[in-house]
Amino acid sequence: MDDHERSRPRESADMRDVIEDLQDLEGMVDDEAEQQKVRETREAAEEARVPRLVGRFRRGFGLRDAGEAVIGGFVFGVPMIVEGGTYDVGRYIANHPPSLAVTILFGGSLILAILYAGGFERVREDRLLGVVPLRLLGILGISVGLAVGLLTIWGQVDWSEPMVAGSQAALVAIAMGVGGSVGDILPE
């Protein structure tokens, strides 16, 4: 590639182009220390271009992440809303507080485990007060809001029995949280 071609911006440049340019640059650099820096940069670029199945968190929880959580939650949660067994289980755990507690703890742990599989804990700007992961709070908030909202709008819960309605909403919210977490960690 000549200097004229190198100075033109490429419309469809990708990581292979960057690696090729780094290989060319490595051959042009005379100083051994500079060659080593170019070589290390090229190797880092080669490693970075390998797509991962999960774990693409590079920044804080944003609008796109919230959208992914809504879509994932909707896909996983709507079957729970239309399934009659959800309401039977919700009524049962409402009348058995230890079962309700175990269900909520297990669901929250499952959501957290999915996000940990994606590596969300490495994102430092994704913290409320430097401690609480915003991604986790966002997904849980979206899941609970979506579950309560859809169950209420579609007339699937009776809020005159708040414990039963809350337990039913918790079951749907757990499914939506799992869907939202999976939607958030999968690659684009």
Side-chain angles (χ1 to χ4, degrees):
M1 172 181 319
D2 62 26
D3 289 337
H4 176 67
E5 289 178 2
R6 190 178 310 283
S7 65
R8 282 186 299 150
R10 296 182 214 162
E11 291 179 24
S12 61
D14 62 12
M15 197 58 124
R16 285 180 299 220
D17 296 319
V18 172
I19 292 169
E20 288 173 10
D21 287 349
L22 287 169
Q23 285 172 336
D24 292 344
L25 182 59
E26 187 178 345
M28 291 182 222
V29 174
D30 295 331
D31 183 57
E32 183 60 36
E34 291 175 355
Q35 275 185 337
Q36 182 63 28
K37 286 180 185 176
V38 173
R39 188 175 305 117
E40 289 170 1
T41 303
R42 180 183 46 81
E43 290 169 359
E46 288 171 345
E47 290 176 20
R49 76 180 193 162
V50 177
R52 294 178 57 194
L53 180 59
V54 297
R56 57 178 177 75
F57 306 131
R58 293 183 196 98
R59 59 190 173 5
F61 190 75
L63 191 57
R64 180 183 181 120
D65 301 302
E68 291 167 346
V70 168
I71 291 168
F74 193 81
V75 168
F76 276 57
V78 168
M80 293 286 292
I81 293 173
V82 299
E83 173 58 42
T86 301
Y87 306 104
D88 296 335
V89 173
R91 185 168 295 287
Y92 176 83
I93 64 174
N95 294 317
H96 297 87
S99 295
L100 175 61
V102 168
T103 300
I104 291 171
L105 287 173
F106 175 74
S109 299
L110 183 59
I111 293 165
L112 188 60
I114 292 168
L115 291 174
Y116 264 107
F120 87 108
E121 76 282 0
R122 292 189 301 262
V123 181
R124 295 293 166 218
E125 66 269 15
D126 193 16
R127 307 273 179 185
L128 180 63
L129 303 173
V131 179
V132 182
L134 289 177
R135 187 170 301 277
L136 177 62
L137 289 178
I139 288 173
L140 291 176
I142 288 167
S143 301
V144 169
L146 198 56
V148 168
L150 289 177
L151 286 168
T152 302
I153 290 170
W154 292 346
Q156 298 299 305
V157 291
D158 179 8
W159 288 104
S160 66
E161 295 182 82
M163 188 66 176
V164 172
S167 297
Q168 293 166 339
L171 286 173
V172 174
I174 289 168
M176 288 183 162
V178 168
S181 299
V182 169
D184 196 36
I185 68 169
L186 291 178
E188 286 121 18

